[in-house]
mmCIF file of all heavy atoms in Angstrom:
data_model
loop_
_atom_site.group_PDB
_atom_site.id
_atom_site.type_symbol
_atom_site.label_atom_id
_atom_site.label_comp_id
_atom_site.label_asym_id
_atom_site.label_seq_id
_atom_site.Cartn_x
_atom_site.Cartn_y
_atom_site.Cartn_z
ATOM 1 N N GLY L 29 2.469 -2.894 -10.658
ATOM 2 C CA GLY L 29 3.012 -2.345 -9.406
ATOM 3 C C GLY L 29 3.013 -3.364 -8.279
ATOM 4 O O GLY L 29 3.924 -3.386 -7.452
ATOM 5 N N HIS L 30 1.993 -4.215 -8.223
ATOM 6 C CA HIS L 30 1.905 -5.215 -7.149
ATOM 7 C C HIS L 30 3.118 -6.163 -7.199
ATOM 8 O O HIS L 30 3.666 -6.524 -6.157
ATOM 9 C CB HIS L 30 0.664 -6.083 -7.298
ATOM 10 C CG HIS L 30 -0.631 -5.415 -6.920
ATOM 11 N ND1 HIS L 30 -0.749 -4.091 -6.627
ATOM 12 C CD2 HIS L 30 -1.883 -5.942 -6.780
ATOM 13 C CE1 HIS L 30 -2.014 -3.825 -6.335
ATOM 14 N NE2 HIS L 30 -2.723 -4.925 -6.422
ATOM 15 N N ALA L 31 3.496 -6.587 -8.417
ATOM 16 C CA ALA L 31 4.613 -7.544 -8.530
ATOM 17 C C ALA L 31 5.892 -6.896 -8.006
ATOM 18 O O ALA L 31 6.677 -7.528 -7.278
ATOM 19 C CB ALA L 31 4.779 -7.992 -9.982
ATOM 20 N N ILE L 32 6.089 -5.622 -8.349
ATOM 21 C CA ILE L 32 7.276 -4.888 -7.875
ATOM 22 C C ILE L 32 7.223 -4.765 -6.348
ATOM 23 O O ILE L 32 8.204 -5.015 -5.644
ATOM 24 C CB ILE L 32 7.326 -3.483 -8.535
ATOM 25 C CG1 ILE L 32 7.454 -3.616 -10.056
ATOM 26 C CG2 ILE L 32 8.451 -2.637 -7.949
ATOM 27 C CD1 ILE L 32 7.247 -2.305 -10.827
ATOM 28 N N GLY L 33 6.054 -4.404 -5.843
ATOM 29 C CA GLY L 33 5.886 -4.192 -4.400
ATOM 30 C C GLY L 33 6.099 -5.472 -3.602
ATOM 31 O O GLY L 33 6.840 -5.484 -2.614
ATOM 32 N N VAL L 34 5.465 -6.550 -4.024
ATOM 33 C CA VAL L 34 5.597 -7.823 -3.285
ATOM 34 C C VAL L 34 7.058 -8.270 -3.288
ATOM 35 O O VAL L 34 7.594 -8.716 -2.279
ATOM 36 C CB VAL L 34 4.693 -8.923 -3.896
ATOM 37 C CG1 VAL L 34 4.997 -10.287 -3.282
ATOM 38 C CG2 VAL L 34 3.221 -8.582 -3.696
ATOM 39 N N ARG L 35 7.705 -8.107 -4.430
ATOM 40 C CA ARG L 35 9.108 -8.517 -4.536
ATOM 41 C C ARG L 35 9.979 -7.748 -3.534
ATOM 42 O O ARG L 35 10.799 -8.324 -2.817
ATOM 43 C CB ARG L 35 9.586 -8.272 -5.974
ATOM 44 C CG ARG L 35 10.998 -8.707 -6.215
ATOM 45 C CD ARG L 35 11.351 -8.545 -7.680
ATOM 46 N NE ARG L 35 12.763 -8.768 -7.880
ATOM 47 C CZ ARG L 35 13.477 -8.163 -8.820
ATOM 48 N NH1 ARG L 35 12.905 -7.321 -9.651
ATOM 49 N NH2 ARG L 35 14.750 -8.414 -8.943
ATOM 50 N N MET L 36 9.776 -6.433 -3.460
ATOM 51 C CA MET L 36 10.570 -5.621 -2.534
ATOM 52 C C MET L 36 10.263 -5.975 -1.083
ATOM 53 O O MET L 36 11.156 -6.039 -0.234
ATOM 54 C CB MET L 36 10.258 -4.136 -2.741
ATOM 55 C CG MET L 36 10.794 -3.561 -4.017
ATOM 56 S SD MET L 36 10.289 -1.818 -4.098
ATOM 57 C CE MET L 36 10.716 -1.454 -5.785
ATOM 58 N N ILE L 37 9.007 -6.202 -0.795
ATOM 59 C CA ILE L 37 8.603 -6.481 0.595
ATOM 60 C C ILE L 37 9.149 -7.837 1.044
ATOM 61 O O ILE L 37 9.672 -7.964 2.157
ATOM 62 C CB ILE L 37 7.062 -6.393 0.719
ATOM 63 C CG1 ILE L 37 6.622 -4.933 0.560
ATOM 64 C CG2 ILE L 37 6.585 -6.961 2.054
ATOM 65 C CD1 ILE L 37 5.146 -4.734 0.326
ATOM 66 N N LEU L 38 9.075 -8.835 0.185
ATOM 67 C CA LEU L 38 9.599 -10.156 0.567
ATOM 68 C C LEU L 38 11.114 -10.111 0.736
ATOM 69 O O LEU L 38 11.674 -10.745 1.632
ATOM 70 C CB LEU L 38 9.185 -11.224 -0.450
ATOM 71 C CG LEU L 38 7.690 -11.590 -0.428
ATOM 72 C CD1 LEU L 38 7.393 -12.667 -1.456
ATOM 73 C CD2 LEU L 38 7.241 -12.040 0.958
ATOM 74 N N ARG L 39 11.777 -9.349 -0.116
ATOM 75 C CA ARG L 39 13.228 -9.164 0.042
ATOM 76 C C ARG L 39 13.550 -8.622 1.429
ATOM 77 O O ARG L 39 14.502 -9.039 2.079
ATOM 78 C CB ARG L 39 13.697 -8.102 -0.954
ATOM 79 C CG ARG L 39 14.554 -8.584 -2.058
ATOM 80 C CD ARG L 39 15.046 -7.360 -2.794
ATOM 81 N NE ARG L 39 15.330 -7.659 -4.176
ATOM 82 C CZ ARG L 39 15.722 -6.770 -5.058
ATOM 83 N NH1 ARG L 39 15.847 -5.497 -4.712
ATOM 84 N NH2 ARG L 39 15.987 -7.109 -6.282
ATOM 85 N N ALA L 40 12.755 -7.625 1.857
ATOM 86 C CA ALA L 40 13.020 -6.968 3.144
ATOM 87 C C ALA L 40 12.677 -7.887 4.313
ATOM 88 O O ALA L 40 13.309 -7.812 5.367
ATOM 89 C CB ALA L 40 12.219 -5.667 3.242
ATOM 90 N N LEU L 41 11.687 -8.764 4.151
ATOM 91 C CA LEU L 41 11.266 -9.622 5.270
ATOM 92 C C LEU L 41 12.126 -10.875 5.394
ATOM 93 O O LEU L 41 12.278 -11.415 6.483
ATOM 94 C CB LEU L 41 9.796 -10.019 5.105
ATOM 95 C CG LEU L 41 8.778 -8.901 5.361
ATOM 96 C CD1 LEU L 41 7.374 -9.389 5.037
ATOM 97 C CD2 LEU L 41 8.849 -8.396 6.795
#
Side-chain angles (χ1 to χ4, degrees):
H30 285 8
I32 298 169
V34 171
R35 182 175 171 211
M36 289 179 191
I37 291 166
L38 289 181
R39 249 188 207 177
L41 288 175

